């Protein structure tokens, strides 16, 4: 709400019924006085926050809270009658709660008349623990606005329903308008008309061309508004500078979604980027969803729809996979490859610049689409990694997701994608994909290799494979490849070059019946002297594949995809049914695809413990400390030793006994307090220039040794003003490990773990996870590093207390998860022993954050640095 919204508020209030006004103010208020208008529109957005909801420039709802005392605020809503019952109150409550949390509000209070049941349910259904009291005919509802699991679940369900519904309308239109349809053969608009018609779209097709009477034998309309009846989806292929007028025309007609094929937006530079921002803002203001701009288009192969609203002439066969692609240039090639492999798709989206509809939206749709069993993603950027991770982790539990991510090593972002570059290391992004159960592959070819296995064969139960074939050489290659990707060859049947179809059938049946086998690799090269062997073995493979509850992959005649001979008919009319056996031109590709699917199957079957709250943590004290530090140091700073002790101690992490000292006398006194057997070290500030000064002197047991160490260390210091020292008691022996975290502005919290030492840095032997961690995350993290045997009794050494390391990793993860203001935290030397784990030091930096991960709780239009929202 802004002061200039005064007239909007007056118009809105005039459309609200007397009963709604009475429910809001508990008395007849037919009009708002000048004083009321001043009070409602002039808010500081600190102690008094007001949010309004607009459609087509008209206010349809307002929600607000007013702080009544520190930490407590009164909240209220008013929604135009014809928009009531649509969840608007709950949506405003979510945003107001997040605004309150960011401003230190802990509890909302609402006064509601008893017969205003709709409003009472709005508060109760939001997932908060609501307490009620009744006085003077008014109900007082009080609830804390902490984002509890229940409240977050309610938000996620609302988000899921809304995004599914908005995408579903793109894929099931009853009528489509092509804006920019042309009579010339070589134009984009004409191609769009041709593809819709030849694709046998079951709905109505309308063409819009202000300078033509007809296009492709269909009457052409001057504008969308002239089209009789409803228009569900508009395909836009006009010059970029005309798209804004098209949006207004479509909004007036009531179109639900736009697919903007037109280029000339963010991919062209700054001017195009601002044009794209205006396009998105305008579309959103009228409630329109937008695919594109610079998109290839969308496809739905459902026989009841048959929608090819794209620039591709290829209408892929009906299948089980949904495909999201950000690159329009690759889209046509992808569809050609799908058709050649006989894979088949349910739906396809090439989103171009991905200004509005993204992969996150499509995941929400495919999660509920029964026809889609496999999700394929070609990603050039990730606009909201935290939301992507949250949704993908949920979807992966039901359906496998296979993803290719371009720019993986450089973390680069294409020109047209209005997203920030991820600052976290590529390994952290890979870790996010693994945690979410996503099958990340290296190339589009490998994506299709994996997809055709997932789409046609059951998931394996484990890593044990059998190799059956009539080529000894290829059998050995398959075994080597299996061992190289973590599979275990438990059975190998070399049938010989003269093997018949009956030999293959017997060997395959035996392998499938073997309880020590989880999957089968079949290899067939046609013998020179056996007539009809090709068809006979194919029939055996298809029959066995259809009946087997274990997956079968093949190298059949060196073909790629799902050959006609190995296909099982599907009652749904797809190109290949369940049980069809995929073939790979090389055994290495077959085994690699199988290994990817095995990893996913293991992820699905491992019990996923919940990310529970760790007991004993004092989160409030930690937040108070961080807020206090940033209040006094708005630019941020490193924590001193006392502050480190307090912050880490709030999460059950004890630093080793340490004293900060500035003089020799202080060092001697500290050593005496520690009982000697101490070490004198330079502090972290100084070690940034001289890391070789760490742990130079050990076993200082007397005042004389301390004096000698003090003098020697000071001789090495070139800047006395920056000098700082600590006296620390020597720690018990142990394996050195390091635990680090960072906060990426876009990506969020990142946690890493490794064994300490230069070899770890040289070899990159670190594992990464995204907080918060479940128990199994911490366990896997510690065991994944190559140096993990050092923790488990390598060469007769003592086994360290791994459970304590896991606890420490989870506590550090929880700290970083709770406190986005912690820009970086390092525990550079943790000694893991058999009976104790010692944290010898820490480096912690706090910095203010503009938006502390609020996208977990509310949806906001993404912004780039320097962007402003459209007028």
């Amino acid at each position: 709400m802004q002061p200039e919204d005064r007239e909007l508020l007056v118009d809105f209030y005039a459309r609200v019924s007397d009963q709604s006004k009475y429910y809001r103010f508990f008395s007849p208020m037919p009009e708002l006085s000048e004083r009321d208008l001043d009070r409602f529109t002039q808010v500081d957005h600190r102690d008094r926050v007001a949010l309004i909801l607009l459609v087509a420039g008209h206010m349809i709802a307002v929600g607000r809270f007013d702080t009544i005392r520190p930490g407590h605020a009164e909240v209220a809503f008013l929604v135009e009658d014809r928009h009531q019952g649509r969840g608007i109150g709950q949506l405003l409550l979510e945003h107001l709660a997040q605004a309150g949390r960011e401003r230190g509000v802990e509890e909302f209070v609402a006064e509601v008349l008893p017969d205003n049941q709709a409003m009472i349910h709005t508060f109760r259904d939001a997932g908060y623990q609501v307490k009620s009291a009744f006085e003077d005919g008014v109900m007082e509802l009080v609830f804390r606005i902490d984002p509890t699991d229940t409240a977050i679940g309610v938000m996620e369900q609302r988000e899921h329903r809304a995004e599914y519904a908005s995408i579903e309308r793109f894929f099931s239109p009853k009528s489509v308008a092509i804006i920019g349809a042309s009579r010339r053969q070589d134009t984009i608009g004409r191609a769009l008309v041709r593809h819709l018609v030849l694709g046998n779209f079951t709905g109505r097709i309308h063409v819009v061309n202000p300078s033509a009477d007809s296009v492709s034998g269909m009457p052409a309309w001057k504008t969308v508004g002239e089209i009789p009846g409803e228009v569900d989806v508009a395909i836009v292929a006009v010059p970029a500078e005309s798209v804004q007028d098209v949006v207004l025309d479509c909004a007036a007609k009531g179109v639900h979604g736009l697919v903007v094929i037109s280029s000339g937006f963010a991919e062209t530079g700054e001017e195009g980027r601002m044009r794209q921002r205006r396009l998105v803002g305008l579309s959103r203001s009228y409630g329109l969803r937008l695919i594109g701009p610079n998109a290839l288009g969308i496809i739905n192969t459902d026989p009841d729809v048959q929608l090819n609203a794209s620039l591709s002439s290829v209408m892929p066969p009906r299948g089980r996979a949904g495909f999201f692609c950000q690159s329009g240039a690759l889209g046509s090639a992808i569809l050609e490859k799908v058709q050649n492999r006989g894979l088949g798709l349910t739906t396809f989206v090439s989103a171009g610049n991905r200004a509005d509809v993204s992969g996150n939206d499509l995941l929400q749709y495919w999660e509920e689409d029964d026809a889609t069993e496999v999700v394929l993603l070609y990603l050039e950027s990730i606009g909201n990694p935290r939301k992507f991770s949250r949704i993908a982790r949920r979807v992966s539990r039901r359906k496998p997701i296979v993803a290719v991510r371009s720019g993986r090593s450089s973390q680069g972002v294409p020109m047209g994608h209005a997203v920030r570059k991820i600052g976290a290391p590529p390994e952290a992004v890979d870790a996010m994909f693994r945690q979410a159960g996503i099958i990340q592959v290296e190339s589009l070819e490998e994506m299709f290799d994996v997809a055709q296995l997932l789409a046609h064969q059951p998931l394996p139960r484990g890593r044990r494979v059998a190799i059956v074939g009539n080529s000894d050489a290829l059998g050995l290659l398959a075994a080597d490849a299996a061992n190289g990707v973590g599979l275990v060859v438990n059975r190998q049947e070399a049938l010989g070059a003269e093997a018949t179809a009956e030999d293959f059938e017997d060997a395959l049946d035996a392998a499938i019946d073997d309880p020590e086998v989880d999957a089968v690799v079949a290899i067939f090269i046609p013998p020179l002297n056996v007539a009809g062997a090709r068809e006979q073995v194919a029939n055996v493979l298809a029959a066995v594949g259809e009946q087997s509850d274990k997956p079968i992959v093949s190298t059949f005649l060196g073909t790629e995809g799902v050959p006609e001979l190995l296909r099982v008919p599907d009652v749904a009319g797809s190109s290949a049914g369940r049980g069809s056996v995929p073939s790979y031109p090389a055994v290495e590709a077959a085994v690699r695809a199988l290994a990817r699917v095995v990893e996913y199957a293991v992820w699905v079957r491992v019990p996923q413990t919940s990310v529970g709250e760790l007991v004993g943590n004092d989160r409030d004290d930690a937040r108070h400390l961080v807020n206090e530090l940033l209040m006094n140091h708005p630019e941020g700073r490193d924590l001193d030793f006392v502050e480190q002790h307090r912050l880490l101690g709030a999460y059950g992490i004890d630093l080793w006994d340490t004293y900060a000292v500035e003089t020799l006398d202080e060092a001697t006194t500290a050593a005496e307090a520690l009982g000697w057997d101490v070490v004198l070290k330079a502090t972290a500030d100084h070690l940034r220039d001289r890391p070789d000064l760490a742990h130079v002197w050990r076993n200082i047991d007397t005042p004389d040794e301390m004096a000698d160490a003090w003098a020697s260390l000071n001789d090495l210091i070139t800047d006395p003003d920056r000098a700082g020292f600590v006296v620390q008691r020597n720690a018990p022996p142990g394996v050195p490990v390091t635990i680090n975290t960072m906060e990426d502005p876009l990506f969020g919290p990142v946690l890493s773990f490794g064994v300490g030492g230069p070899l770890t840095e040289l070899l990159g032997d670190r594992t990464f996870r995204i907080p918060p961690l479940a128990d199994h995350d911490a366990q896997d993290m510690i065991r994944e590093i190559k140096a993990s045997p050092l923790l488990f009794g390598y060469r007769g050494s003592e086994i360290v207390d791994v459970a304590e390391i896991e606890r420490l990793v989870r506590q550090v993860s929880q700290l970083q998860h709770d406190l986005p203001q912690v820009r970086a935290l390092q525990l550079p030397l943790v000694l893991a022993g058999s009976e104790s784990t010692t944290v010898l030091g820490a480096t912690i930096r706090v910095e203010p954050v503009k938006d502390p991960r609020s996208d977990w709780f509310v949806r906001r239009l993404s912004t780039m640095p320097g962007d402003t929202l459209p007028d």
Side-chain angles (χ1 to χ4, degrees):
M1 176 75 82
Q2 302 292 341
E4 55 266 27
D5 295 324
R6 191 183 187 94
E7 292 303 318
L8 282 176
L9 180 58
V10 171
D11 293 341
F12 160 70
Y13 198 75
R15 298 192 303 273
V16 174
S17 69
D18 291 340
Q19 183 184 48
S20 293
K21 293 173 183 177
Y22 186 82
Y23 279 157
R24 169 65 179 87
F25 297 108
F26 305 166
S27 64
M29 283 189 64
E31 294 180 353
L32 296 175
S33 66
E34 290 297 315
R35 181 179 178 183
D36 290 331
L37 291 171
D38 289 341
R39 180 165 60 93
F40 290 147
T41 59
Q42 296 177 16
V43 292
D44 58 16
H45 289 288
R46 185 184 65 252
D47 296 322
R48 301 176 62 236
V49 173
L51 304 177
I52 60 176
L53 195 64
L54 305 177
V55 173
H58 297 286
M59 184 189 303
I60 66 167
V62 57
R64 62 190 306 115
F65 72 72
D66 295 86
T67 302
I68 51 181
R69 63 181 184 276
H72 302 263
E74 184 174 4
V75 64
F77 307 96
L78 185 58
V79 179
E80 186 178 341
D81 292 67
R82 67 191 185 99
H83 291 288
Q84 291 175 8
R86 301 179 63 189
I88 290 174
Q90 190 175 99
L91 182 65
L92 283 170
L93 178 59
E94 291 176 14
H95 284 263
L96 287 170
Q98 178 59 26
R101 288 189 286 265
E102 293 172 0
R103 290 156 178 79
V105 176
E106 299 173 353
E107 191 173 72
F108 274 173
V109 178
E111 292 188 342
V112 184
L113 291 175
D115 56 343
N116 189 359
Q117 291 296 312
M119 186 58 64
I120 293 173
H121 286 302
T122 294
F123 292 115
R124 295 194 185 280
D125 293 346
Y128 298 109
Q129 295 293 322
V130 180
K131 299 177 182 178
S132 60
F134 191 81
E135 185 176 349
D136 296 332
V138 175
M139 289 188 68
E140 183 182 72
L141 307 179
V142 182
F143 53 96
R144 292 185 62 84
I145 59 173
D146 295 333
T148 63
D149 290 343
T150 303
I152 292 174
V154 170
M155 298 177 205
E156 288 182 349
Q157 283 300 313
R158 178 199 55 77
E159 170 194 77
H160 176 61
R161 289 192 302 270
E163 293 182 7
Y164 165 80
S166 68
I167 300 302
E168 197 273 337
R169 301 183 92 161
F170 276 105
F171 287 132
S172 58
K174 298 296 188 295
S175 62
V176 172
I178 302 171
I179 304 171
S182 174
R183 290 177 295 183
R184 291 184 314 206
Q185 289 290 341
D186 58 346
T187 61
I188 290 176
R190 184 62 179 268
L192 290 167
V193 175
R194 183 169 59 250
H195 297 162
L196 266 174
V197 172
L198 296 181
N200 296 318
F201 175 53
T202 59
R204 296 185 300 276
I205 302 173
H206 304 286
V207 296
V208 177
N209 186 326
S211 59
D213 294 327
S214 66
V215 174
S216 297
M218 291 179 286
W221 306 95
K222 304 297 183 186
T223 66
V224 175
E226 294 181 3
I227 297 173
E230 294 184 354
V231 175
D232 297 320
V233 173
I235 316 299
V236 183
V238 301
E241 56 271 15
S242 302
V243 173
Q244 187 165 323
D245 293 333
V246 170
V247 174
L248 294 172
D249 194 18
C250 289
K253 179 63 177 175
V255 174
H256 301 308
L258 303 174
V259 181
V260 179
I261 309 295
S262 310
S263 58
F265 291 88
E267 78 280 0
T268 63
E270 186 61 29
E271 182 180 349
R273 180 176 154 193
M274 296 312 298
R275 184 184 294 122
Q276 181 167 304
R277 294 292 297 173
R278 289 192 294 272
L279 168 63
V280 177
L282 189 62
S283 299
R284 289 270 179 86
S285 71
Y286 284 94
L288 289 167
R289 293 306 307 268
L290 165 71
I291 293 177
N294 196 28
L296 185 74
I298 64 174
I299 292 174
N300 184 2
T301 63
D302 184 346
D304 294 332
V305 181
Q306 287 291 105
L307 174 71
N308 182 5
S310 78
L311 293 178
S312 172
S313 60
V314 176
M315 183 70 167
R318 184 67 170 170
R320 294 174 180 78
F323 201 118
F324 174 79
C325 175
Q326 291 176 350
S327 171
L330 278 176
S332 294
I334 288 170
L335 291 171
E336 290 277 359
K337 179 66 70 173
V338 166
Q339 186 177 54
N340 293 340
R341 283 191 176 232
L343 177 60
L345 298 178
T346 56
T347 41
F348 171 86
V349 174
S350 169
N353 293 358
R354 194 182 46 68
D356 176 26
V357 170
S358 69
N360 290 341
D361 297 290
L362 270 299
L363 284 175
Q364 303 270 33
Y365 170 78
W366 282 321
E367 183 179 5
E368 298 299 325
D369 180 38
D370 292 335
T372 301
E373 299 176 16
V374 182
V375 174
L376 308 180
L377 305 175
Y378 176 78
L379 304 174
E380 294 180 328
S381 66
I382 307 175
N384 189 334
R386 294 189 292 274
K387 180 177 178 179
F388 174 75
S389 174
R390 167 170 55 85
I391 297 173
R393 188 180 300 207
R394 188 181 70 232
V395 175
S396 292
R397 285 282 144 204
R398 299 179 56 188
K399 304 177 181 183
I401 302 172
V402 189
V404 175
R405 182 163 54 92
S406 66
R408 185 174 171 185
S409 59
S410 63
Q411 305 282 54
V413 175
M415 181 70 176
H417 293 206
V419 300
R420 296 177 178 89
K421 185 176 179 178
I422 296 175
E427 296 85 356
V429 186
D430 293 341
M432 179 193 75
F433 276 55
R434 286 195 303 273
Q435 277 181 271
I438 297 172
I439 305 171
Q440 185 173 208
V441 295
E442 303 293 335
S443 65
L444 284 170
E445 288 295 329
E446 191 180 0
M447 169 185 277
F448 294 126
D449 287 346
V450 174
Q452 66 190 33
L453 174 54
L454 289 167
H456 300 110
Q457 289 289 308
L459 289 179
R461 296 187 181 92
R463 302 178 183 277
R464 303 166 300 178
V465 299
I467 300 173
V468 176
N470 64 347
S471 169
D472 293 347
L474 290 182
L476 290 174
L477 284 176
D480 288 342
N483 291 326
V485 292
L487 301 179
V488 179
V489 180
N490 268 10
R491 187 184 186 104
Q492 191 156 3
E493 297 283 349
L495 302 179
E498 305 299 325
T500 64
E502 290 77 13
D503 295 331
F504 266 93
E505 184 173 13
D506 292 340
L508 289 171
D509 286 342
I512 290 170
D513 292 339
D514 188 343
E516 299 299 316
V517 169
D518 300 311
V520 177
V521 179
I523 301 168
F524 174 69
I525 300 298
L528 297 178
N529 57 349
V530 180
R534 179 172 177 266
E535 289 77 11
Q536 293 170 6
V537 173
N539 290 336
V540 167
L541 273 173
V544 174
E546 183 178 13
Q547 299 170 10
S548 173
D549 61 349
K550 298 176 182 178
I552 301 176
V553 296
S554 71
T555 296
F556 182 80
L557 304 171
T559 54
E560 180 182 64
V562 184
E564 289 280 355
L565 289 170
L566 301 186
R567 295 182 186 179
V568 173
D570 185 30
V571 294
S574 67
S575 58
R578 270 281 172 189
S580 299
V581 178
S583 175
Y584 302 84
V587 291
E588 293 87 350
V591 170
R592 185 173 60 243
L594 181 59
R596 297 285 194 187
V597 175
V598 166
E599 292 299 327
Y600 169 72
V602 170
W603 182 88
V604 168
R605 291 190 171 109
V606 169
Q608 302 293 301
T609 55
S610 61
V611 182
E613 186 70 25
L614 297 171
V615 297
N617 291 345
D618 193 345
R619 181 188 302 170
D620 291 339
D621 184 62
R623 286 176 174 167
H624 179 74
L625 171 62
V626 169
N627 292 334
E628 187 179 72
L629 288 170
L630 292 177
M631 187 178 299
N632 296 325
H633 302 273
E635 73 289 350
R637 72 168 176 84
D638 293 338
L639 273 61
D640 62 28
F641 287 100
V642 174
E643 293 159 347
Q644 289 175 4
H645 273 275
R646 180 179 167 188
L647 183 62
L648 294 174
Y651 285 85
I653 303 170
D654 296 325
L655 280 174
W656 195 240
D657 292 338
T658 304
Y659 288 86
V661 296
E662 296 181 357
T663 67
L664 175 58
D665 288 342
E666 291 180 358
T668 302
T669 301
E672 290 173 347
L674 292 171
W676 293 98
D677 188 21
V678 298
V679 60
L680 178 69
K681 298 193 303 181
T683 59
D685 279 344
H686 210 69
L687 293 179
R688 290 194 179 96
D689 297 331
R690 292 293 304 276
D692 55 303
L693 298 182
H695 309 299
V696 174
W697 292 275
R698 288 185 178 276
N699 302 320
I700 300 175
D701 287 323
T702 67
D704 290 341
E705 289 177 358
M706 177 63 77
D708 290 342
W710 185 269
S712 299
L713 192 56
N714 273 276
D715 287 343
L716 296 175
I717 293 175
T718 57
D719 186 358
D721 292 335
R722 291 184 57 212
F725 303 96
V726 295
V727 176
Q728 195 171 57
R729 185 157 53 92
N730 271 320
V735 178
V737 298
T738 64
I739 304 171
N740 300 329
T741 69
M742 64 169 289
E743 180 76 18
D744 182 77
L746 175 66
F747 193 79
V750 178
L751 175 75
S752 67
F753 172 83
V755 169
L759 281 179
T760 293
E761 303 301 326
L762 181 64
L763 301 177
D765 188 18
R766 304 192 68 81
T767 54
F768 292 82
R769 288 294 187 276
I770 311 304
L773 303 188
D775 289 339
H776 66 87
D777 290 321
Q779 294 165 1
D780 294 344
M781 192 175 191
I782 290 169
R783 289 159 178 79
E784 281 177 10
I785 58 173
K786 297 180 179 65
S788 64
L790 294 173
L791 306 173
F792 294 92
Y794 181 66
R795 290 189 174 180
S797 62
E798 286 189 318
I799 299 176
V800 308
D801 187 352
V802 177
E804 179 60 18
I805 303 177
E806 293 170 358
R807 185 197 71 85
L808 187 60
V809 166
R810 286 200 64 197
Q811 294 285 20
V812 173
S813 165
Q814 189 67 48
L815 185 155
Q816 187 66 58
H817 174 68
D818 291 342
L819 303 172
Q821 299 88 348
V822 175
R823 181 67 179 84
L825 182 153
Q826 295 177 337
L827 304 183
L829 185 56
V830 178
L831 293 180
S834 59
E835 297 181 356
S836 64
T837 297
T838 309
V839 182
L840 290 182
T843 301
I844 305 174
R845 180 169 182 81
V846 295
E847 292 180 0
V849 288
K850 180 180 179 181
D851 188 7
R853 309 186 205 139
S854 62
D855 58 291
W856 285 3
F857 312 120
V858 296
R859 176 168 181 155
R860 291 176 178 170
L861 189 63
S862 61
T863 58
M864 291 286 288
D867 276 355
T868 56
L869 291 177
D871 294 334

